[in-house]
Amino acid sequence: MRAADADREVVADRLRAALGEGRLDLHEYDERVQRAYAARTYAELDALLTDLPPVAPPEHSALRPASAPAEPPVGRLGSLRRGHVIRWLAEVWLPYVRVVAIVVTVWGVTSLLSQELLYFWPAWVAGPWGAALVLRTVGGLVGGEPRRQAIERERKRAKRERRRELRTEGSEDPGPRT
């Protein structure tokens, strides 16, 4: 049976909802919407939705609505909101600052010893590396890298703490040793 424009719109809306839920990535969504508007029959439209669950009304959905406040982070991450970004930026930029300070100092000392202003060669170290770090910083901040790194650090800290607790529990046990 041939599909109407209204049917294509319904499928496109369902695909849009699946994109919003995170069930489809942007590339797959775009591909499926193009196929939906090119579909001629109901069978072609149904094929686009077979791997997607039906839409549940918001009151029956297990998903948190977009307007609902985010749940507070677990563990110590709540206090790390601004701190984890600053720590990540320091980890990214401090090696650069240290190396640039060293090469500028070397340039300055050699200029003083030669008693003339030499060619500023540290720009060849600082320029390209700085440009790469700017790109990494922007990409990392947009991609949420500081938060991921803070979560990973917190997970490792909790794991170390659990190991320490297990070791202390084991040392308190006066049972027989073999």
Side-chain angles (χ1 to χ4, degrees):
M1 206 142 124
R2 293 185 78 76
D5 285 341
D7 300 320
R8 292 182 194 91
E9 284 296 325
V10 168
V11 171
D13 288 342
R14 175 61 193 113
L15 292 172
R16 199 170 305 115
L19 175 68
E21 295 169 349
R23 298 183 193 283
L24 296 175
D25 63 21
L26 194 54
H27 177 72
E28 189 175 11
Y29 163 76
D30 184 46
E31 186 179 289
R32 287 188 188 202
V33 166
Q34 287 177 9
R35 287 177 34 207
Y37 285 117
R40 293 185 182 156
T41 65
Y42 284 117
E44 291 175 65
L45 290 175
D46 288 341
L48 297 172
L49 301 175
T50 56
D51 62 339
L52 297 174
V55 178
E59 59 273 3
H60 294 100
S61 175
L63 300 174
R64 181 178 53 87
S67 61
E71 295 176 16
V74 179
R76 295 176 29 214
L77 288 178
S79 62
L80 294 175
R81 288 181 201 276
R82 192 177 300 167
H84 67 272
V85 173
I86 292 170
R87 182 174 179 173
W88 180 79
L89 287 172
E91 289 174 0
V92 169
W93 283 91
L94 277 179
Y96 171 80
V97 170
R98 288 180 184 134
V99 170
V100 169
I102 290 169
V103 296
V104 169
T105 301
V106 169
W107 171 81
V109 169
T110 56
S111 290
L112 280 174
L113 292 176
S114 69
Q115 296 179 352
E116 64 181 76
L117 198 57
L118 298 176
Y119 174 74
F120 190 70
W121 57 267
W124 290 102
V125 174
W129 190 7
L133 283 179
V134 166
L135 292 175
R136 179 172 180 218
T137 300
V138 170
L141 291 173
V142 168
E145 183 64 28
R147 179 154 177 78
R148 275 195 300 275
Q149 205 174 68
I151 290 169
E152 182 65 20
R153 260 193 312 272
E154 178 65 19
R155 187 187 64 74
K156 286 179 180 178
R157 186 198 61 77
K159 190 175 180 180
R160 280 191 310 268
E161 201 171 281
R162 279 193 308 270
R163 281 187 193 151
R164 208 173 294 130
E165 287 173 3
L166 289 174
R167 260 189 257 129
T168 57
E169 286 175 8
S171 64
E172 291 173 3
D173 184 19
R177 292 191 174 190
T178 56

